[in-house]
Amino acid sequence: NHGHANIDNSSEFYSPSLISRKLSARFIYSNSWLMLELEPYTINHNNLIKKEQIGGSLSMNNNHVINIPRKNKLSGLAQSRIVIHYHGFGFGYGKMSHWWGPGFHSAITLSSNSPSQETFSFGTFKDIKIGNISLGSNIIVMPYKSMKNDQLYFSGLKSNLSYLSSSTIITIGFHRTYLSGNFENLDPITNYKTKWTMIDAAKLVIEPLFGQDKIKLDYTTPGTPGFDTWDQLLSGYINIKFIKENLDIYLDIASDDNRGNFTDLRAHWDHTLAYLIGMKKFSKHKSYSIFYGLEYLSTKVSNTFNPIFYRGDPNSLNYYTKQRFDYFSYQGRRMGAHSGPSSDDLILVLGIAKNTTMLLISLNEERHGIKSMQFPEIKREINFSLQNELSSNHKIFASLEFEQINNHSFIKNNLSTSNLLWFGYSYTFKN
């Protein structure tokens, strides 16, 4: 990698150096009541990229390295878990990264951009089908330490419901997440008198939706309409799949600010509104399989708010903004959408496959600090990826990316480039 730090949505693997190497092995076993996945890995970095002099939430964007652990060698478990279930319903434990949302490039609520985290989960691990209806729901809690060594917890609830017909599959779903922690000042500003635990964090996702319904809860601040110190996010999405056309269209809408009551929600429906809209389609042409997708994400403050009712600063940051939660990051990597707050992200992907070979081409533009910075970063990239199955056991891939950022580090006309070559090989043992 010649240039700034690079690579999105690949969990542990990231490129904050001139050369990065990963070696891993993966084992998977399952039966009617057990799922076991193990992936030990090692990663080596050579010639680490110089740290950026940026502070605040915008320093967590993937092309900056100010908060990345500065280690030349990393090792551990990735995407590893054990699940005990009965007909798909049960509990699990492991070190996992997660993708919550209908998109293929961005996820507002939770993405695979950050490294695998210790995860406790309970619920369905595959959807339950009843006639034309399919449904699933899962609660996860991830305990971890902040950069200041505070005990933090990510807790989240995801649920989905699908209607299946011969022509379409309509899926609606929602995500509710909280960042909480055992902070020293939790006792003086609230009526909470004991240590904040993982069980407390898990219960947050089933608490009342509106603030006024939480006034008597002991973790809220007395004298307020149910205010608390946590960082929460709520999103709802719809995905419509047209089976014959092999086409998906989807919309995900989110808010990172709870409302006092329904009247407050109606008046401030677009306060801290974020959204993701996209489509993906597969088709055939002679002996070729073709895939194309288009996706647009926005986390910038809404342009449509009513100034009579709006309570906030239209140029302020929203999403992933609380310092005590490391700006919604883990080990310096964004846990939600990798473009961060006050941003948008547009991507177009075209894929062509024949037999055992596939070529993917993507064009991408991200803008960071759109309303909050005088000189927003503008990142443009083009990526070419080639994958080939040499046989049922042997696979290779290569990816070439050219990325350019104008106003890098939010400095006017400061230009930074990353020319990235990424290649790999895998061997699969089969009976």
Side-chain angles (χ1 to χ4, degrees), residues 161-219:
L161 177 70
S162 298
Y163 174 74
L164 297 81
S165 72
S166 59
S167 59
T168 58
I169 300 175
I170 301 174
T171 301
I172 58 174
F174 76 92
H175 308 117
R176 188 183 192 188
T177 72
Y178 277 87
L179 295 178
S180 62
N182 186 45
F183 300 117
E184 291 182 0
N185 67 344
L186 185 59
D187 181 27
I189 64 172
T190 71
N191 292 321
Y192 200 85
K193 302 298 182 182
T194 60
K195 182 180 180 180
W196 188 259
T197 68
M198 186 168 66
I199 299 298
D200 296 319
K203 289 160 56 177
L204 287 173
V205 301
I206 54 174
E207 297 286 9
L209 182 64
F210 294 117
Q212 289 186 348
D213 297 324
K214 302 180 183 181
I215 290 176
K216 295 183 180 180
L217 297 179
D218 52 10
Y219 62 80

Short mmCIF file of all heavy atoms in Angstrom, two decimals, residues 161-219:
data_model
loop_
_atom_site.label_atom_id
_atom_site.label_comp_id
_atom_site.label_asym_id
_atom_site.label_seq_id
_atom_site.Cartn_x
_atom_site.Cartn_y
_atom_site.Cartn_z
N LEU A 161 -38.92 -9.65 9.75
CA LEU A 161 -40.13 -10.38 9.38
C LEU A 161 -40.26 -10.34 7.87
O LEU A 161 -40.19 -9.27 7.26
CB LEU A 161 -41.35 -9.75 10.04
CG LEU A 161 -42.71 -10.35 9.69
CD1 LEU A 161 -42.86 -11.74 10.32
CD2 LEU A 161 -43.84 -9.43 10.19
N SER A 162 -40.44 -11.50 7.25
CA SER A 162 -40.53 -11.58 5.79
C SER A 162 -41.84 -12.23 5.37
O SER A 162 -42.33 -13.17 6.01
CB SER A 162 -39.36 -12.39 5.21
OG SER A 162 -38.12 -11.79 5.49
N TYR A 163 -42.40 -11.71 4.27
CA TYR A 163 -43.54 -12.33 3.62
C TYR A 163 -43.07 -12.90 2.28
O TYR A 163 -42.50 -12.18 1.46
CB TYR A 163 -44.67 -11.34 3.40
CG TYR A 163 -45.81 -11.91 2.58
CD1 TYR A 163 -46.71 -12.82 3.14
CD2 TYR A 163 -45.96 -11.57 1.24
CE1 TYR A 163 -47.73 -13.37 2.40
CE2 TYR A 163 -46.99 -12.12 0.48
CZ TYR A 163 -47.87 -13.01 1.06
OH TYR A 163 -48.88 -13.57 0.31
N LEU A 164 -43.30 -14.20 2.08
CA LEU A 164 -42.81 -14.88 0.90
C LEU A 164 -43.96 -15.23 -0.02
O LEU A 164 -44.94 -15.89 0.39
CB LEU A 164 -42.06 -16.16 1.28
CG LEU A 164 -40.79 -16.03 2.13
CD1 LEU A 164 -41.14 -15.85 3.61
CD2 LEU A 164 -39.92 -17.27 1.98
N SER A 165 -43.88 -14.79 -1.27
CA SER A 165 -44.85 -15.18 -2.29
C SER A 165 -44.10 -15.75 -3.48
O SER A 165 -42.87 -15.80 -3.49
CB SER A 165 -45.71 -13.99 -2.71
OG SER A 165 -44.94 -13.07 -3.48
N SER A 166 -44.81 -16.15 -4.50
CA SER A 166 -44.16 -16.74 -5.67
C SER A 166 -43.37 -15.72 -6.47
O SER A 166 -42.46 -16.08 -7.22
CB SER A 166 -45.21 -17.39 -6.57
OG SER A 166 -46.17 -16.42 -6.99
N SER A 167 -43.71 -14.42 -6.32
CA SER A 167 -43.05 -13.40 -7.15
C SER A 167 -42.13 -12.47 -6.36
O SER A 167 -41.17 -11.93 -6.92
CB SER A 167 -44.11 -12.55 -7.86
OG SER A 167 -44.95 -11.91 -6.91
N THR A 168 -42.42 -12.28 -5.06
CA THR A 168 -41.64 -11.33 -4.27
C THR A 168 -41.41 -11.85 -2.85
O THR A 168 -42.17 -12.68 -2.34
CB THR A 168 -42.34 -9.95 -4.16
OG1 THR A 168 -43.63 -10.14 -3.58
CG2 THR A 168 -42.45 -9.28 -5.50
N ILE A 169 -40.34 -11.34 -2.25
CA ILE A 169 -40.10 -11.53 -0.82
C ILE A 169 -39.96 -10.14 -0.22
O ILE A 169 -39.06 -9.38 -0.59
CB ILE A 169 -38.83 -12.35 -0.56
CG1 ILE A 169 -38.94 -13.74 -1.18
CG2 ILE A 169 -38.57 -12.46 0.95
CD1 ILE A 169 -37.66 -14.56 -1.06
N ILE A 170 -40.85 -9.79 0.68
CA ILE A 170 -40.83 -8.47 1.33
C ILE A 170 -40.38 -8.65 2.76
O ILE A 170 -41.01 -9.38 3.54
CB ILE A 170 -42.21 -7.80 1.28
CG1 ILE A 170 -42.67 -7.64 -0.17
CG2 ILE A 170 -42.16 -6.44 1.98
CD1 ILE A 170 -44.09 -7.11 -0.30
N THR A 171 -39.27 -8.00 3.11
CA THR A 171 -38.71 -8.12 4.45
C THR A 171 -38.69 -6.75 5.12
O THR A 171 -38.24 -5.76 4.52
CB THR A 171 -37.27 -8.66 4.41
OG1 THR A 171 -37.27 -9.95 3.79
CG2 THR A 171 -36.69 -8.79 5.82
N ILE A 172 -39.22 -6.68 6.32
CA ILE A 172 -39.09 -5.49 7.15
C ILE A 172 -38.34 -5.87 8.41
O ILE A 172 -38.42 -7.00 8.88
CB ILE A 172 -40.46 -4.86 7.49
CG1 ILE A 172 -41.35 -5.87 8.23
CG2 ILE A 172 -41.14 -4.33 6.26
CD1 ILE A 172 -42.65 -5.27 8.73
N GLY A 173 -37.56 -4.94 8.93
CA GLY A 173 -36.78 -5.24 10.13
C GLY A 173 -36.41 -3.98 10.86
O GLY A 173 -36.59 -2.86 10.36
N PHE A 174 -35.91 -4.15 12.07
CA PHE A 174 -35.43 -3.00 12.83
C PHE A 174 -34.25 -3.42 13.69
O PHE A 174 -34.05 -4.59 14.00
CB PHE A 174 -36.54 -2.39 13.70
CG PHE A 174 -36.88 -3.19 14.94
CD1 PHE A 174 -36.23 -2.92 16.14
CD2 PHE A 174 -37.83 -4.19 14.90
CE1 PHE A 174 -36.53 -3.64 17.28
CE2 PHE A 174 -38.14 -4.91 16.04
CZ PHE A 174 -37.49 -4.64 17.24
N HIS A 175 -33.45 -2.42 14.05
CA HIS A 175 -32.30 -2.60 14.93
C HIS A 175 -32.36 -1.55 16.03
O HIS A 175 -32.65 -0.39 15.76
CB HIS A 175 -30.97 -2.43 14.17
CG HIS A 175 -30.87 -3.27 12.94
ND1 HIS A 175 -30.76 -2.71 11.68
CD2 HIS A 175 -30.88 -4.60 12.76
CE1 HIS A 175 -30.67 -3.68 10.78
NE2 HIS A 175 -30.75 -4.84 11.41
N ARG A 176 -32.11 -1.97 17.24
CA ARG A 176 -32.01 -1.03 18.36
C ARG A 176 -30.73 -1.34 19.11
O ARG A 176 -30.53 -2.47 19.57
CB ARG A 176 -33.22 -1.18 19.29
CG ARG A 176 -33.27 -0.08 20.36
CD ARG A 176 -34.42 -0.29 21.32
NE ARG A 176 -34.60 0.91 22.14
CZ ARG A 176 -35.44 0.97 23.18
NH1 ARG A 176 -36.16 -0.11 23.52
NH2 ARG A 176 -35.56 2.09 23.87
N THR A 177 -29.85 -0.36 19.22
CA THR A 177 -28.55 -0.59 19.84
C THR A 177 -28.24 0.48 20.88
O THR A 177 -28.73 1.61 20.80
CB THR A 177 -27.41 -0.62 18.81
OG1 THR A 177 -27.16 0.72 18.33
CG2 THR A 177 -27.73 -1.52 17.64
N TYR A 178 -27.42 0.08 21.85
CA TYR A 178 -26.96 0.99 22.90
C TYR A 178 -25.47 0.80 23.13
O TYR A 178 -24.95 -0.33 23.05
CB TYR A 178 -27.67 0.70 24.23
CG TYR A 178 -29.02 1.33 24.39
CD1 TYR A 178 -30.16 0.68 23.93
CD2 TYR A 178 -29.17 2.57 25.00
CE1 TYR A 178 -31.41 1.25 24.08
CE2 TYR A 178 -30.42 3.14 25.16
CZ TYR A 178 -31.53 2.48 24.71
OH TYR A 178 -32.77 3.05 24.86
N LEU A 179 -24.78 1.89 23.41
CA LEU A 179 -23.46 1.86 24.01
C LEU A 179 -23.62 2.36 25.44
O LEU A 179 -24.14 3.45 25.67
CB LEU A 179 -22.48 2.75 23.26
CG LEU A 179 -22.14 2.34 21.83
CD1 LEU A 179 -21.19 3.36 21.20
CD2 LEU A 179 -21.50 0.95 21.79
N SER A 180 -23.20 1.55 26.41
CA SER A 180 -23.30 1.93 27.82
C SER A 180 -22.01 1.51 28.50
O SER A 180 -21.13 0.89 27.89
CB SER A 180 -24.51 1.26 28.48
OG SER A 180 -24.40 -0.16 28.44
N GLY A 181 -21.88 1.84 29.80
CA GLY A 181 -20.64 1.51 30.49
C GLY A 181 -20.71 1.77 31.97
O GLY A 181 -21.60 2.46 32.47
N ASN A 182 -19.74 1.21 32.69
CA ASN A 182 -19.66 1.36 34.14
C ASN A 182 -18.80 2.59 34.46
O ASN A 182 -17.63 2.48 34.79
CB ASN A 182 -19.06 0.10 34.77
CG ASN A 182 -19.09 0.16 36.28
OD1 ASN A 182 -20.10 0.54 36.88
ND2 ASN A 182 -18.00 -0.21 36.92
N PHE A 183 -19.41 3.78 34.33
CA PHE A 183 -18.67 5.02 34.52
C PHE A 183 -18.70 5.47 35.98
O PHE A 183 -19.68 5.25 36.69
CB PHE A 183 -19.27 6.14 33.64
CG PHE A 183 -19.23 5.82 32.18
CD1 PHE A 183 -20.40 5.69 31.45
CD2 PHE A 183 -18.02 5.65 31.53
CE1 PHE A 183 -20.38 5.41 30.10
CE2 PHE A 183 -17.98 5.37 30.17
CZ PHE A 183 -19.16 5.24 29.46
N GLU A 184 -17.64 6.14 36.39
CA GLU A 184 -17.53 6.59 37.78
C GLU A 184 -18.60 7.61 38.14
O GLU A 184 -19.05 7.67 39.27
CB GLU A 184 -16.14 7.20 38.02
CG GLU A 184 -15.01 6.17 37.99
CD GLU A 184 -13.67 6.79 38.30
OE1 GLU A 184 -13.63 8.01 38.53
OE2 GLU A 184 -12.67 6.06 38.29
N ASN A 185 -19.02 8.43 37.16
CA ASN A 185 -19.98 9.49 37.47
C ASN A 185 -21.43 9.04 37.27
O ASN A 185 -22.34 9.85 37.28
CB ASN A 185 -19.70 10.74 36.64
CG ASN A 185 -19.95 10.50 35.15
OD1 ASN A 185 -20.04 9.35 34.72
ND2 ASN A 185 -20.07 11.57 34.39
N LEU A 186 -21.66 7.75 37.09
CA LEU A 186 -23.02 7.27 36.90
C LEU A 186 -23.84 7.44 38.17
O LEU A 186 -25.01 7.80 38.13
CB LEU A 186 -23.00 5.80 36.48
CG LEU A 186 -24.36 5.17 36.12
CD1 LEU A 186 -25.01 5.92 34.97
CD2 LEU A 186 -24.20 3.70 35.78
N ASP A 187 -23.22 7.22 39.35
CA ASP A 187 -23.93 7.32 40.61
C ASP A 187 -24.31 8.77 40.95
O ASP A 187 -25.47 9.05 41.24
CB ASP A 187 -23.08 6.69 41.73
CG ASP A 187 -23.77 6.75 43.08
OD1 ASP A 187 -25.00 6.79 43.11
OD2 ASP A 187 -23.06 6.76 44.10
N PRO A 188 -23.38 9.76 40.90
CA PRO A 188 -23.75 11.12 41.31
C PRO A 188 -24.84 11.77 40.47
O PRO A 188 -25.61 12.58 40.99
CB PRO A 188 -22.44 11.89 41.18
CG PRO A 188 -21.37 10.86 41.27
CD PRO A 188 -21.94 9.64 40.64
N ILE A 189 -24.93 11.46 39.16
CA ILE A 189 -25.90 12.16 38.32
C ILE A 189 -27.19 11.37 38.13
O ILE A 189 -28.11 11.84 37.47
CB ILE A 189 -25.29 12.49 36.94
CG1 ILE A 189 -24.97 11.20 36.16
CG2 ILE A 189 -24.07 13.37 37.08
CD1 ILE A 189 -24.55 11.46 34.74
N THR A 190 -27.29 10.16 38.69
CA THR A 190 -28.49 9.35 38.56
C THR A 190 -28.79 8.70 39.90
O THR A 190 -28.09 8.90 40.89
CB THR A 190 -28.31 8.24 37.50
OG1 THR A 190 -27.40 7.24 38.00
CG2 THR A 190 -27.77 8.80 36.20
N ASN A 191 -29.85 7.90 39.92
CA ASN A 191 -30.20 7.14 41.11
C ASN A 191 -29.65 5.73 41.07
O ASN A 191 -30.02 4.88 41.88
CB ASN A 191 -31.73 7.08 41.26
CG ASN A 191 -32.31 8.45 41.58
OD1 ASN A 191 -31.72 9.21 42.35
ND2 ASN A 191 -33.46 8.77 40.99
N TYR A 192 -28.76 5.48 40.09
CA TYR A 192 -28.18 4.14 39.97
C TYR A 192 -27.04 3.99 40.98
O TYR A 192 -26.08 4.74 40.95
CB TYR A 192 -27.65 3.91 38.54
CG TYR A 192 -27.49 2.45 38.21
CD1 TYR A 192 -28.57 1.72 37.75
CD2 TYR A 192 -26.27 1.80 38.38
CE1 TYR A 192 -28.44 0.37 37.45
CE2 TYR A 192 -26.14 0.46 38.09
CZ TYR A 192 -27.24 -0.25 37.62
OH TYR A 192 -27.11 -1.59 37.35
N LYS A 193 -27.14 3.01 41.87
CA LYS A 193 -26.24 2.92 43.02
C LYS A 193 -25.29 1.73 42.97
O LYS A 193 -24.45 1.58 43.85
CB LYS A 193 -27.05 2.83 44.32
CG LYS A 193 -28.00 3.99 44.54
CD LYS A 193 -27.26 5.32 44.64
CE LYS A 193 -28.22 6.47 44.91
NZ LYS A 193 -27.52 7.78 44.96
N THR A 194 -25.40 0.89 41.98
CA THR A 194 -24.54 -0.30 41.92
C THR A 194 -23.70 -0.29 40.65
O THR A 194 -23.80 0.62 39.83
CB THR A 194 -25.39 -1.58 41.96
OG1 THR A 194 -26.28 -1.60 40.83
CG2 THR A 194 -26.20 -1.65 43.25
N LYS A 195 -22.89 -1.30 40.49
CA LYS A 195 -22.03 -1.42 39.31
C LYS A 195 -22.87 -1.74 38.08
O LYS A 195 -23.76 -2.59 38.12
CB LYS A 195 -20.99 -2.52 39.55
CG LYS A 195 -20.01 -2.71 38.42
CD LYS A 195 -19.02 -3.82 38.76
CE LYS A 195 -18.03 -4.03 37.62
NZ LYS A 195 -17.06 -5.11 37.95
N TRP A 196 -22.59 -1.04 36.97
CA TRP A 196 -23.29 -1.31 35.71
C TRP A 196 -22.70 -2.57 35.09
O TRP A 196 -21.50 -2.69 34.91
CB TRP A 196 -23.13 -0.13 34.76
CG TRP A 196 -23.97 -0.25 33.52
CD1 TRP A 196 -23.55 -0.63 32.27
CD2 TRP A 196 -25.36 0.02 33.40
NE1 TRP A 196 -24.58 -0.62 31.39
CE2 TRP A 196 -25.73 -0.22 32.05
CE3 TRP A 196 -26.35 0.44 34.30
CZ2 TRP A 196 -27.03 -0.04 31.59
CZ3 TRP A 196 -27.65 0.62 33.82
CH2 TRP A 196 -27.97 0.37 32.48
N THR A 197 -23.57 -3.55 34.77
CA THR A 197 -23.12 -4.86 34.34
C THR A 197 -23.59 -5.17 32.92
O THR A 197 -24.38 -4.43 32.33
CB THR A 197 -23.64 -5.94 35.29
OG1 THR A 197 -25.08 -6.04 35.14
CG2 THR A 197 -23.29 -5.62 36.75
N MET A 198 -23.14 -6.32 32.43
CA MET A 198 -23.54 -6.76 31.10
C MET A 198 -25.04 -7.06 31.06
O MET A 198 -25.70 -6.82 30.03
CB MET A 198 -22.74 -8.00 30.71
CG MET A 198 -22.97 -8.46 29.29
SD MET A 198 -21.78 -9.70 28.74
CE MET A 198 -22.21 -11.06 29.82
N ILE A 199 -25.61 -7.57 32.15
CA ILE A 199 -27.05 -7.82 32.21
C ILE A 199 -27.81 -6.50 32.10
O ILE A 199 -28.83 -6.40 31.39
CB ILE A 199 -27.43 -8.56 33.51
CG1 ILE A 199 -26.71 -9.92 33.56
CG2 ILE A 199 -28.93 -8.73 33.60
CD1 ILE A 199 -27.09 -10.86 32.44
N ASP A 200 -27.33 -5.46 32.79
CA ASP A 200 -27.96 -4.14 32.68
C ASP A 200 -27.93 -3.65 31.24
O ASP A 200 -28.91 -3.08 30.75
CB ASP A 200 -27.24 -3.14 33.59
CG ASP A 200 -27.36 -3.49 35.06
OD1 ASP A 200 -28.45 -3.89 35.48
OD2 ASP A 200 -26.35 -3.37 35.77
N ALA A 201 -26.79 -3.85 30.58
CA ALA A 201 -26.66 -3.41 29.19
C ALA A 201 -27.63 -4.16 28.28
O ALA A 201 -28.25 -3.56 27.39
CB ALA A 201 -25.22 -3.61 28.72
N ALA A 202 -27.78 -5.46 28.51
CA ALA A 202 -28.68 -6.26 27.68
C ALA A 202 -30.13 -5.82 27.84
O ALA A 202 -30.90 -5.81 26.87
CB ALA A 202 -28.53 -7.73 28.03
N LYS A 203 -30.52 -5.42 29.05
CA LYS A 203 -31.90 -5.02 29.31
C LYS A 203 -32.28 -3.71 28.63
O LYS A 203 -33.45 -3.43 28.42
CB LYS A 203 -32.13 -4.92 30.82
CG LYS A 203 -32.15 -6.26 31.52
CD LYS A 203 -31.90 -6.15 33.01
CE LYS A 203 -32.87 -5.22 33.71
NZ LYS A 203 -32.65 -5.20 35.17
N LEU A 204 -31.28 -2.90 28.27
CA LEU A 204 -31.57 -1.61 27.63
C LEU A 204 -32.38 -1.76 26.35
O LEU A 204 -33.22 -0.92 26.03
CB LEU A 204 -30.28 -0.86 27.33
CG LEU A 204 -29.51 -0.26 28.50
CD1 LEU A 204 -28.17 0.29 28.03
CD2 LEU A 204 -30.33 0.84 29.17
N VAL A 205 -32.12 -2.83 25.59
CA VAL A 205 -32.74 -2.97 24.26
C VAL A 205 -34.22 -3.31 24.34
O VAL A 205 -34.92 -3.25 23.33
CB VAL A 205 -32.00 -4.01 23.40
CG1 VAL A 205 -30.55 -3.62 23.21
CG2 VAL A 205 -32.11 -5.41 24.00
N ILE A 206 -34.73 -3.65 25.54
CA ILE A 206 -36.16 -3.94 25.69
C ILE A 206 -36.83 -2.91 26.62
O ILE A 206 -37.95 -3.11 27.05
CB ILE A 206 -36.41 -5.37 26.20
CG1 ILE A 206 -35.64 -5.63 27.50
CG2 ILE A 206 -36.00 -6.39 25.15
CD1 ILE A 206 -35.97 -6.98 28.14
N GLU A 207 -36.12 -1.81 26.93
CA GLU A 207 -36.71 -0.72 27.71
C GLU A 207 -37.68 0.07 26.83
O GLU A 207 -37.70 -0.07 25.61
CB GLU A 207 -35.61 0.20 28.24
CG GLU A 207 -34.64 -0.46 29.20
CD GLU A 207 -35.23 -0.70 30.58
OE1 GLU A 207 -36.45 -0.51 30.74
OE2 GLU A 207 -34.48 -1.09 31.48
N PRO A 208 -38.54 0.94 27.45
CA PRO A 208 -39.49 1.74 26.66
C PRO A 208 -38.78 2.56 25.58
O PRO A 208 -37.62 2.95 25.72
CB PRO A 208 -40.14 2.65 27.71
CG PRO A 208 -40.02 1.88 28.98
CD PRO A 208 -38.72 1.15 28.89
N LEU A 209 -39.52 2.87 24.52
CA LEU A 209 -38.95 3.57 23.37
C LEU A 209 -38.80 5.06 23.64
O LEU A 209 -37.80 5.67 23.27
CB LEU A 209 -39.84 3.35 22.15
CG LEU A 209 -39.37 3.96 20.84
CD1 LEU A 209 -38.04 3.34 20.40
CD2 LEU A 209 -40.43 3.77 19.75
N PHE A 210 -39.77 5.69 24.29
CA PHE A 210 -39.76 7.14 24.49
C PHE A 210 -39.18 7.51 25.85
O PHE A 210 -39.38 6.81 26.85
CB PHE A 210 -41.17 7.71 24.36
CG PHE A 210 -41.74 7.58 22.97
CD1 PHE A 210 -42.88 6.81 22.74
CD2 PHE A 210 -41.14 8.21 21.89
CE1 PHE A 210 -43.40 6.70 21.47
CE2 PHE A 210 -41.66 8.10 20.62
CZ PHE A 210 -42.79 7.34 20.40
N GLY A 211 -38.52 8.67 25.89
CA GLY A 211 -37.84 9.11 27.10
C GLY A 211 -38.77 9.30 28.28
O GLY A 211 -38.42 8.95 29.42
N GLN A 212 -39.97 9.86 28.08
CA GLN A 212 -40.86 10.12 29.19
C GLN A 212 -41.34 8.84 29.88
O GLN A 212 -41.77 8.88 31.04
CB GLN A 212 -42.06 10.95 28.72
CG GLN A 212 -41.70 12.39 28.39
CD GLN A 212 -42.90 13.23 28.06
OE1 GLN A 212 -44.00 12.72 27.85
NE2 GLN A 212 -42.72 14.55 27.99
N ASP A 213 -41.26 7.72 29.18
CA ASP A 213 -41.63 6.44 29.79
C ASP A 213 -40.49 5.86 30.62
O ASP A 213 -40.66 4.82 31.24
CB ASP A 213 -42.03 5.44 28.70
CG ASP A 213 -43.26 5.90 27.93
OD1 ASP A 213 -44.16 6.50 28.56
OD2 ASP A 213 -43.32 5.67 26.71
N LYS A 214 -39.31 6.54 30.60
CA LYS A 214 -38.16 6.05 31.35
C LYS A 214 -37.85 6.90 32.57
O LYS A 214 -36.85 6.66 33.26
CB LYS A 214 -36.91 6.04 30.44
CG LYS A 214 -37.02 5.20 29.19
CD LYS A 214 -35.72 5.28 28.40
CE LYS A 214 -35.80 4.52 27.10
NZ LYS A 214 -34.51 4.57 26.36
N ILE A 215 -38.68 7.90 32.86
CA ILE A 215 -38.36 8.88 33.91
C ILE A 215 -38.07 8.20 35.25
O ILE A 215 -37.16 8.62 35.98
CB ILE A 215 -39.52 9.90 34.06
CG1 ILE A 215 -39.56 10.81 32.82
CG2 ILE A 215 -39.35 10.73 35.32
CD1 ILE A 215 -40.71 11.79 32.82
N LYS A 216 -38.77 7.15 35.59
CA LYS A 216 -38.60 6.51 36.89
C LYS A 216 -37.50 5.45 36.90
O LYS A 216 -37.23 4.86 37.95
CB LYS A 216 -39.93 5.88 37.33
CG LYS A 216 -41.03 6.91 37.58
CD LYS A 216 -42.30 6.25 38.08
CE LYS A 216 -43.38 7.29 38.34
NZ LYS A 216 -44.65 6.67 38.82
N LEU A 217 -36.87 5.20 35.77
CA LEU A 217 -35.79 4.22 35.74
C LEU A 217 -34.55 4.81 36.39
O LEU A 217 -34.23 5.99 36.20
CB LEU A 217 -35.49 3.81 34.29
CG LEU A 217 -36.65 3.11 33.56
CD1 LEU A 217 -36.25 2.78 32.12
CD2 LEU A 217 -37.06 1.83 34.28
N ASP A 218 -33.81 4.00 37.15
CA ASP A 218 -32.76 4.54 38.00
C ASP A 218 -31.50 4.97 37.25
O ASP A 218 -30.65 5.64 37.83
CB ASP A 218 -32.40 3.56 39.12
CG ASP A 218 -32.07 2.17 38.59
OD1 ASP A 218 -31.96 2.02 37.36
OD2 ASP A 218 -31.95 1.24 39.41
N TYR A 219 -31.36 4.64 35.96
CA TYR A 219 -30.18 5.09 35.24
C TYR A 219 -30.41 6.41 34.49
O TYR A 219 -29.51 6.93 33.84
CB TYR A 219 -29.67 4.03 34.26
CG TYR A 219 -30.65 3.64 33.16
CD1 TYR A 219 -30.81 4.43 32.04
CD2 TYR A 219 -31.39 2.47 33.26
CE1 TYR A 219 -31.70 4.08 31.04
CE2 TYR A 219 -32.29 2.11 32.27
CZ TYR A 219 -32.44 2.91 31.17
OH TYR A 219 -33.33 2.56 30.18
#
